[in-house]
mmCIF file of all heavy atoms in Angstrom:
data_model
loop_
_atom_site.group_PDB
_atom_site.id
_atom_site.type_symbol
_atom_site.label_atom_id
_atom_site.label_comp_id
_atom_site.label_asym_id
_atom_site.label_seq_id
_atom_site.Cartn_x
_atom_site.Cartn_y
_atom_site.Cartn_z
ATOM 1 N N GLU D 61 -13.971 40.098 -13.526
ATOM 2 C CA GLU D 61 -14.971 40.960 -14.154
ATOM 3 C C GLU D 61 -16.407 40.363 -14.041
ATOM 4 O O GLU D 61 -17.131 40.314 -15.009
ATOM 5 C CB GLU D 61 -14.643 41.285 -15.637
ATOM 6 C CG GLU D 61 -13.672 42.427 -15.761
ATOM 7 C CD GLU D 61 -13.828 43.183 -17.050
ATOM 8 O OE1 GLU D 61 -13.177 42.790 -18.033
ATOM 9 O OE2 GLU D 61 -14.571 44.171 -17.130
ATOM 10 N N THR D 62 -16.731 40.002 -12.801
ATOM 11 C CA THR D 62 -18.063 39.496 -12.562
ATOM 12 C C THR D 62 -19.122 40.624 -12.687
ATOM 13 O O THR D 62 -20.285 40.357 -12.957
ATOM 14 C CB THR D 62 -18.131 38.841 -11.196
ATOM 15 O OG1 THR D 62 -17.657 39.781 -10.200
ATOM 16 C CG2 THR D 62 -17.301 37.592 -11.140
ATOM 17 N N LYS D 63 -18.759 41.856 -12.408
ATOM 18 C CA LYS D 63 -19.604 43.037 -12.613
ATOM 19 C C LYS D 63 -20.912 42.974 -11.828
ATOM 20 O O LYS D 63 -21.967 43.380 -12.346
ATOM 21 C CB LYS D 63 -19.892 43.216 -14.096
ATOM 22 C CG LYS D 63 -18.672 43.597 -14.886
ATOM 23 C CD LYS D 63 -19.052 44.013 -16.328
ATOM 24 C CE LYS D 63 -17.872 44.569 -17.100
ATOM 25 N NZ LYS D 63 -18.214 44.973 -18.481
ATOM 26 N N VAL D 64 -20.830 42.486 -10.583
ATOM 27 C CA VAL D 64 -22.042 42.361 -9.783
ATOM 28 C C VAL D 64 -21.694 42.416 -8.281
ATOM 29 O O VAL D 64 -20.676 41.895 -7.875
ATOM 30 C CB VAL D 64 -22.820 41.098 -10.167
ATOM 31 C CG1 VAL D 64 -22.038 39.856 -9.804
ATOM 32 C CG2 VAL D 64 -24.222 41.068 -9.530
ATOM 33 N N THR D 65 -22.629 43.020 -7.542
ATOM 34 C CA THR D 65 -22.488 43.014 -6.072
ATOM 35 C C THR D 65 -22.696 41.570 -5.538
ATOM 36 O O THR D 65 -23.427 40.801 -6.175
ATOM 37 C CB THR D 65 -23.451 43.991 -5.430
ATOM 38 O OG1 THR D 65 -24.783 43.744 -5.949
ATOM 39 C CG2 THR D 65 -23.116 45.471 -5.763
ATOM 40 N N ASP D 66 -22.232 41.320 -4.362
ATOM 41 C CA ASP D 66 -22.275 39.952 -3.803
ATOM 42 C C ASP D 66 -23.712 39.467 -3.642
ATOM 43 O O ASP D 66 -24.009 38.295 -3.805
ATOM 44 C CB ASP D 66 -21.548 39.890 -2.469
ATOM 45 C CG ASP D 66 -20.042 40.108 -2.658
ATOM 46 O OD1 ASP D 66 -19.590 40.225 -3.831
ATOM 47 O OD2 ASP D 66 -19.323 40.237 -1.653
ATOM 48 N N ASP D 67 -24.629 40.410 -3.259
ATOM 49 C CA ASP D 67 -26.005 40.015 -3.027
ATOM 50 C C ASP D 67 -26.749 39.584 -4.264
ATOM 51 O O ASP D 67 -27.732 38.883 -4.238
ATOM 52 C CB ASP D 67 -26.792 41.136 -2.324
ATOM 53 C CG ASP D 67 -26.754 42.482 -3.060
ATOM 54 O OD1 ASP D 67 -25.681 42.796 -3.599
ATOM 55 O OD2 ASP D 67 -27.766 43.125 -3.152
ATOM 56 N N LEU D 68 -26.268 40.027 -5.422
ATOM 57 C CA LEU D 68 -26.903 39.694 -6.706
ATOM 58 C C LEU D 68 -26.135 38.631 -7.468
ATOM 59 O O LEU D 68 -26.490 38.293 -8.611
ATOM 60 C CB LEU D 68 -27.071 40.947 -7.555
ATOM 61 C CG LEU D 68 -28.020 42.035 -6.988
ATOM 62 C CD1 LEU D 68 -27.997 43.278 -7.860
ATOM 63 C CD2 LEU D 68 -29.450 41.479 -6.821
ATOM 64 N N PHE D 69 -25.052 38.094 -6.950
ATOM 65 C CA PHE D 69 -24.240 37.090 -7.610
ATOM 66 C C PHE D 69 -25.096 35.829 -7.801
ATOM 67 O O PHE D 69 -25.805 35.392 -6.868
ATOM 68 C CB PHE D 69 -23.011 36.760 -6.778
ATOM 69 C CG PHE D 69 -21.987 35.886 -7.476
ATOM 70 C CD1 PHE D 69 -20.972 36.461 -8.205
ATOM 71 C CD2 PHE D 69 -22.061 34.521 -7.412
ATOM 72 C CE1 PHE D 69 -20.045 35.669 -8.865
ATOM 73 C CE2 PHE D 69 -21.154 33.705 -8.020
ATOM 74 C CZ PHE D 69 -20.128 34.276 -8.768
ATOM 75 N N PRO D 70 -25.032 35.193 -8.985
ATOM 76 C CA PRO D 70 -25.848 34.012 -9.232
ATOM 77 C C PRO D 70 -25.309 32.737 -8.557
ATOM 78 O O PRO D 70 -24.866 31.803 -9.191
ATOM 79 C CB PRO D 70 -25.842 33.886 -10.763
ATOM 80 C CG PRO D 70 -24.557 34.516 -11.146
ATOM 81 C CD PRO D 70 -24.326 35.638 -10.190
ATOM 82 N N ALA D 71 -25.317 32.741 -7.220
ATOM 83 C CA ALA D 71 -24.715 31.669 -6.432
ATOM 84 C C ALA D 71 -25.464 30.357 -6.592
ATOM 85 O O ALA D 71 -24.836 29.310 -6.695
ATOM 86 C CB ALA D 71 -24.673 32.116 -4.968
#
Side-chain angles (χ1 to χ4, degrees):
Chain D
E61 277 207 272
T62 53
K63 294 189 171 179
V64 65
T65 51
D66 295 353
D67 56 319
L68 297 175
F69 189 92

